Amino acid sequence: MASIHTRGLVKKYGSLTVLHGLDLEIPDHELVVLVGPSGCGKSTLLRVLAGLEAIDEGDLFIGEDRVNDIPAAKRDIAMVFQDYALYPHMTVRQNMAFALEMRGMARGEIKERVEKAAALLAIEPYLDRRPKALSGGQRQRVAMGRAIVRNPRVFLFDEPLSNLDARLRTQVRAEIKTLSQQLRTTMVFVTHDQVEAMTMADRIVVMKSGVIQQVGSPEDVYETPANLFVAGFIGSPSMNFFPASVENDGLKLADGRTVAVGDRVQAAATAHRGKPLILGVRPEHFRVAPDAAGALSVEITLVEPLGSDTLIHFKVGDAEAIARVEPDLRPKVGDVIALAPSPEKAHLFEEKSGALIC
Amino acid sequence: MSHTVASNRWTGALNIFLLVLAGVVSLTPMAWMVLSSFKASFEVTAYPPTVIFSPTLENYATLWERTPFLHYAFNSMVVTVSSTALGIILGAPAAFVASWTRVTWPAVLTLAARMAPGTLFLLPWYIMFRQFDMIGSYWALILTHAVITMPIVIWVLLPFFDNIPRSIYEAAQVDGCSPLRIFFRIGLPLVAGGLAVSSILAFVFSWNFFLFALVLSNSDTKTLIAASFNFIGEGSTNWGALMAAATLIALPPLVLAIVVQRWLISGLTLGAVKG
């Protein structure tokens, strides 16, 4: 078990810089999720941590050790790959025992560890099968078992749920989280799925174009996103963004209408008078208003009933927007409805830099 | 629907016709060779050729009496097995590294060496081996035949290694394997089919290679294929004995190919196609 610490980490492929001087602190025992869109550098960062990619600049510490020049084989980390990367010519038992054999562990202890990990993951019946005789979910467990038996300092997961169907993904997601609580080992998990990130992480690292945008707990990044990118990436459906300017009694939107946003946002907006601003409201932070005063009177263009709640689509100027409402409202396409942003939950961003104002 | 069925039938018939044609073209010389080896001397070159004749073992007896056939066979076996083994020992790691690093120019270079006419190497090799007093030694033949076997091994194994997902190698790295261990514990077992295919092909090519054995061997180390040249004289050629020798020479690769033909074909297609 160990913490991970990067300082000014740079990774380049030829002239292309993929990681731009990352400073990141991952404390011991934490489950940290690296999340971001394709090409943001999250998998590259994981591979750098694993020792599968060389570091061009900066430092990487695992525990107290600077591991820049230490090969993957000697970093004492375990990794679960996206395609599981099980050895096809070995049985499940041999797959799980392989890393221990490489370390010269006694046979008795190997047997004991493999059986203990197999029991933990409920894969005992498959120990003498080859990977090709297993389902996707079983292979996924074996890949985790192969990592667990080693009792490594750090676990790395590279999008291990992406090949599973939706039901199994939810199940395995919960299992990994339970496992992290049982094993109390530092885990770094890569995903492009923000739901996975939110549900599993102790802390989330949001990345874009090789730069860390925000590090925080799931609640932090959801409630206080550092910028427009994080605000748009975290949350499903995404936060709605409305270009706005300051008026005395609220914010004036692009279509000329004024919306009341409460004292907190209004004060912040007034402090930025004259600058182009973006009002950000999550779909679940609209409330249905009794009348149109200070609210947005909108025409519903699409209704998506989800059972527990209903998503309604509408337009403000040219901007498409979504609100989450109670299913009992039974909205219909073409209905006109008054929606008001929750004053406590609405956000304001600088349009130019994208930075959060409040 | 009926159009498709008719079309399939025609395609099937065409396939069978082409297979029969290919079979006839490739098997006729072999049948001729085998039949001729059982004919009396005057019948071997008779025109028109006789198909119905009284078989005789006269040519095989001549072969046995006039040449140390078993000794030559032993020489062939030593040179072929050793050069095949050397080709695998050098070629398998080379293919693994070329696949791992994705640097294939050295492999292309070995292929170029293989494609160059053998006569190109003969003179420098002759001078070099004479310098080391190795002319007529098994080692001269084994080393030169490795130039034939190694490129075969490399080029057959390359697609097999390429087909192994990179993440498997990376998993082995993370599991604590050195590159050498990855080669022996992960790479080699996963290309076992390719190893069998390349061994057989290398064996056949080395067994049948004539030129180097003709120049670099002596009477003690002469291989079967070079020794069979003795039956071609300046004035006359003992075709019957030559055909008997050729039949016996063709036997080991033929038996080998028949025994492993399923593996050979599936191995070749696997290495080439599987993504």
Side-chain angles (χ1 to χ4, degrees), chain A residues 47 73 83 87 89 103 150, chain B residues 167 170 172-175 185:
Chain A
R47 292 171 61 78
D83 61 357
Y87 309 123
H89 58 301
R103 280 162 177 72
R150 289 181 43 191
Chain B
S167 59
E170 290 172 347
Q173 277 180 279
V174 171
D175 274 349
R185 296 291 304 269

Side-chain angles (χ1 to χ4, degrees), chain B:
Chain B
M1 186 74 172
S2 61
H3 176 74
T4 313
V5 171
S7 158
N8 284 346
R9 198 173 291 159
W10 274 109
T11 311
L14 186 68
N15 281 344
I16 289 168
F17 171 74
L18 289 173
L19 278 173
V20 169
L21 188 68
V24 168
V25 168
S26 58
L27 290 178
T28 301
M30 286 192 69
W32 190 299
M33 173 185 79
V34 175
L35 290 176
S36 297
S37 74
F38 291 104
K39 286 179 181 177
S41 303
F42 67 92
E43 277 182 312
V44 175
T45 51
Y47 189 84
T50 51
V51 178
I52 296 167
F53 58 91
S54 309
T56 171
L57 291 173
E58 175 193 321
N59 295 321
Y60 290 92
T62 307
L63 197 64
W64 204 257
E65 283 160 11
R66 290 201 198 159
T67 63
F69 192 84
L70 277 182
H71 181 66
Y72 292 149
F74 174 76
N75 290 344
S76 276
M77 202 52 89
V78 167
V79 171
T80 302
V81 170
S82 304
S83 64
T84 301
L86 192 61
I88 288 168
I89 289 167
L90 298 175
F96 173 70
V97 171
S99 170
W100 177 304
T101 59
R102 298 190 174 118
V103 177
T104 50
W105 66 262
V108 174
L109 208 66
T110 61
L111 191 68
R114 170 70 188 90
M115 284 176 167
T119 43
L120 199 72
F121 301 102
L122 259 188
L123 187 62
W125 273 350
Y126 185 81
I127 293 168
M128 194 177 81
F129 286 125
R130 196 178 59 185
Q131 204 72 27
F132 293 110
D133 199 22
M134 286 171 72
I135 297 289
S137 71
Y138 282 133
W139 274 113
L141 292 177
I142 291 166
L143 289 173
T144 52
H145 276 220
V147 173
I148 312 294
T149 58
M150 191 179 72
I152 293 170
V153 172
I154 291 175
W155 282 94
V156 170
L157 285 185
L158 246 182
F160 279 87
F161 280 120
D162 284 345
N163 277 341
I164 299 174
R166 207 160 182 82
S167 59
I168 289 185
Y169 291 145
E170 290 172 347
Q173 277 180 279
V174 171
D175 274 349
C177 274
S178 64
L180 203 63
R181 273 186 159 170
I182 294 175
F183 172 66
F184 282 112
R185 296 291 304 269
I186 307 295
L188 269 191
L190 290 180
V191 299
L195 219 51
V197 173
S198 60
S199 304
I200 291 157
L201 291 178
F203 182 94
V204 171
F205 276 88
S206 174
W207 180 269
N208 289 332
F209 207 76
F210 169 74
L211 189 62
F212 299 154
L214 185 71
V215 178
L216 298 173
S217 66
N218 63 19
S219 55
D220 285 338
T221 55
K222 193 160 279 189
T223 59
L224 270 180
I225 196 95
S228 66
F229 196 57
N230 290 345
F231 294 105
I232 301 173
E234 273 186 36
S236 67
T237 297
N238 187 345
W239 288 108
L242 187 62
M243 290 298 115
T247 303
L248 290 177
I249 291 168
L251 269 182
L254 198 68
V255 170
L256 201 63
I258 290 169
V259 168
V260 296
Q261 63 170 323
R262 279 179 73 93
W263 208 359
L264 193 72
I265 293 162
S266 66
L268 278 171
T269 48
L270 248 182
V273 187
K274 195 180 175 191

Side-chain angles (χ1 to χ4, degrees), chain A residues 262-321:
Chain A
D263 294 344
R264 182 183 62 94
V265 176
Q266 185 66 38
T270 306
H272 288 75
R273 189 182 286 275
K275 288 183 185 168
L277 303 170
I278 301 281
L279 172 68
V281 184
R282 293 199 182 278
E284 49 274 33
H285 295 156
F286 278 110
R287 57 184 175 77
V288 179
D291 55 62
L296 288 170
S297 181
V298 297
E299 183 182 337
I300 298 171
T301 56
L302 184 71
V303 176
E304 291 182 280
L306 302 177
S308 57
D309 41 36
T310 299
L311 300 178
I312 56 171
H313 294 236
F314 57 94
K315 277 191 161 187
V316 175
D318 293 332
E320 295 272 358

Side-chain angles (χ1 to χ4, degrees), chain A residues 172-225:
Chain A
V172 177
R173 201 166 69 195
E175 284 173 5
I176 292 177
K177 185 152 188 176
T178 309
L179 211 59
S180 86
Q181 286 159 0
Q182 286 174 347
L183 299 174
R184 304 279 297 140
T185 306
T186 313
M187 292 185 176
V188 184
F189 190 102
V190 161
T191 181
H192 62 270
D193 181 344
Q194 57 90 27
V195 176
E196 250 170 58
M198 291 292 285
T199 51
M200 294 177 70
D202 293 324
R203 281 201 308 154
I204 292 177
V205 177
V206 186
M207 294 181 69
K208 182 195 171 195
S209 307
V211 177
I212 293 174
Q213 302 292 312
Q214 187 172 5
V215 181
S217 68
E219 295 80 9
D220 281 345
V221 292
Y222 177 78
E223 289 168 6
T224 323

